[in-house]
Amino acid sequence: MPLPDASAVPASYEWRDDVHALPGGLDLHFGSRVEPVDVAYRLAGARGAPVVAVLGGISAGRSVFNLDPAAPGWWEDAIGPGRALDTDRFRVLGIDFLGGSHRSTGPAKGEIFPSISAFDQAKLLLALMDLLGIERLQASLGASYGGMVTLALAQAHPARIRHAVVLSAAHRTHPMSTAWRSVQRAIVRYALSHGEGPRGLVLARALAMATYRSAREFEERFPGPAEPTPEGFRFPVESYLMARGESYAAVYKPEAFVCLSESIDLHRVDPAAIRVPTTLLGVQEDQLVPIADMRELRDRHAGNCSLVEISSIYGHDAFLKETDVLRDLLARALD
């Protein structure tokens, strides 16, 4: 993962990108143990400023922003100098998830990794904070799977976080979402058993992409006719989905996808046990996290909790696109 040229990093910034070994390994929520455990992280922003953990989907890693136009971070539109989360005012802490495909400990080729909970990711984050001397987060900003980790952190370790900001994640995974992801995992497992793991991941990711966005966006973007090919007709939306699947499978491990996809579906927290002040963002067109679940989380939350509801053709991926909404939301949550 490329780092910005030293001349691109302001003199007032701290920029640490490293891998730490956790002493003693990690006991997992579902009873297994992982040892040894490495956690890869990036801590970047104004030196000495309050720290905000930023956690994204299962394929997002520590490279939240990068200060390099040639190699942007995965949330570059929203986070960085002068952006919605202003790194001139805060330090941003990003991690590579346990069980994932980046530099934190994860499955080797052909390995079945132990089942991972969002509570395990929260424990990993806390262990890293201890190593870095970070006593308390100003906030944890979590989107999708990262929102689940943020909720787990708020429930299990409330003294270590001042504010939880949760985008497109609720207290549980909806059974319909689990239905879609179960089929995706079955595709990958079948492909792995036949030595075709990357091809299975292409298909699983293509199916997943159809759940991230709204029907209205697909209607607007892919109205064109099918084109004949030697294998049969190919539809514009099909070409898009397969291209996204191919690009994903080129950089992500099938075994890691199975592990963290399962972790999403295992997600459960108790809203009545969360007292950390919380700001939620729900999207009416989100197929994976119904707005009713976001409202239930707000209503059952034991502390100060507010829900911002928006309409967006980007559905579950709105947090990556609706940066103006995010700017207003973070201004209220962090100030």
Side-chain angles (χ1 to χ4, degrees):
M1 187 175 297
L3 300 179
D5 185 271
S7 62
V9 179
S12 60
Y13 268 35
E14 175 180 6
W15 194 279
R16 301 169 65 180
D17 195 296
D18 205 351
V19 181
H20 281 332
L22 299 189
L26 203 66
D27 292 320
L28 301 180
H29 183 76
F30 295 110
S32 298
R33 178 175 175 79
V34 177
E35 187 176 8
V37 173
D38 290 338
V39 55
Y41 73 95
R42 176 178 293 176
L43 180 63
R47 199 175 304 277
V51 177
V52 177
V54 177
L55 311 168
I58 63 172
S59 56
R62 66 190 187 279
S63 182
V64 180
F65 77 105
N66 204 29
L67 295 177
D68 183 355
W74 62 265
W75 217 353
E76 198 84 22
D77 289 344
I79 298 173
R83 297 192 174 101
L85 178 54
D86 188 353
T87 52
D88 291 337
R89 298 180 54 214
F90 298 98
R91 286 179 291 167
V92 168
L93 177 61
I95 65 169
D96 292 348
F97 288 127
L98 182 69
S101 197
H102 301 301
R103 292 185 65 193
S104 291
T105 298
K109 184 176 181 180
E111 180 185 9
I112 299 175
F113 205 72
S115 294
I116 299 294
S117 166
F119 286 101
D120 298 321
Q121 308 290 3
K123 187 186 293 186
L124 183 78
L125 177 60
L126 250 63
L128 175 63
M129 288 169 58
D130 290 341
L131 288 171
L132 297 176
I134 300 170
E135 181 177 347
R136 195 178 190 192
L137 295 171
Q138 181 72 16
S140 181
L141 169 58
S144 190
Y145 184 59
M148 299 174 184
V149 177
T150 294
L151 289 168
L153 177 67
Q155 176 178 322
H157 308 282
R160 305 297 298 272
I161 173 177
R162 293 181 182 275
H163 201 110
V165 182
V166 177
L167 317 179
S168 298
H171 54 292
R172 58 137 190 184
T173 298
H174 194 279
M176 181 56 79
S177 300
T178 299
W180 286 321
R181 276 188 294 267
S182 295
V183 174
Q184 294 163 30
R185 290 193 296 275
I187 292 170
V188 176
R189 288 179 176 131
Y190 180 83
L192 283 168
S193 71
H194 289 74
E196 294 285 348
R199 183 56 188 167
L201 186 55
V202 170
L203 298 176
R205 180 66 172 184
L207 176 57
M209 288 299 301
T211 70
Y212 296 157
R213 301 296 181 87
S214 71
R216 182 159 62 93
E217 187 197 10
F218 276 28
E219 183 178 18
E220 292 177 3
R221 289 182 64 184
F222 307 110
E227 296 181 355
T229 74
E231 292 80 28
F233 280 91
R234 191 172 181 90
F235 299 88
V237 69
E238 178 184 2
S239 297
Y240 165 78
L241 294 175
M242 291 304 167
R244 299 284 68 75
E246 295 281 358
S247 62
Y248 187 77
V251 297
Y252 209 79
K253 297 177 183 177
E255 298 85 355
F257 175 85
V258 169
C259 176
L260 293 187
S261 170
E262 179 192 66
S263 185
I264 292 174
D265 288 325
L266 290 169
H267 170 66
R268 298 290 188 277
V269 298
D270 180 7
I274 301 175
R275 296 186 177 278
V276 171
T278 301
T279 300
L280 307 173
L281 176 69
V283 182
Q284 293 165 5
E285 291 82 359
D286 191 338
Q287 300 183 82
L288 294 175
V289 186
I291 198 68
D293 283 5
M294 300 295 293
R295 292 168 182 162
E296 181 181 349
L297 171 58
R298 175 200 60 196
D299 294 343
R300 292 178 54 200
H301 192 286
N304 181 3
C305 182
S306 62
L307 169 62
V308 175
E309 297 187 21
I310 66 169
S311 174
S312 172
I313 64 170
Y314 301 114
H316 187 70
D317 278 352
F319 68 90
L320 294 169
K321 300 291 187 179
E322 304 287 0
T323 53
D324 289 341
V325 172
L326 188 60
R327 181 182 296 275
D328 294 341
L329 184 144
L330 288 177
R332 290 196 296 270
L334 296 178
D335 292 341

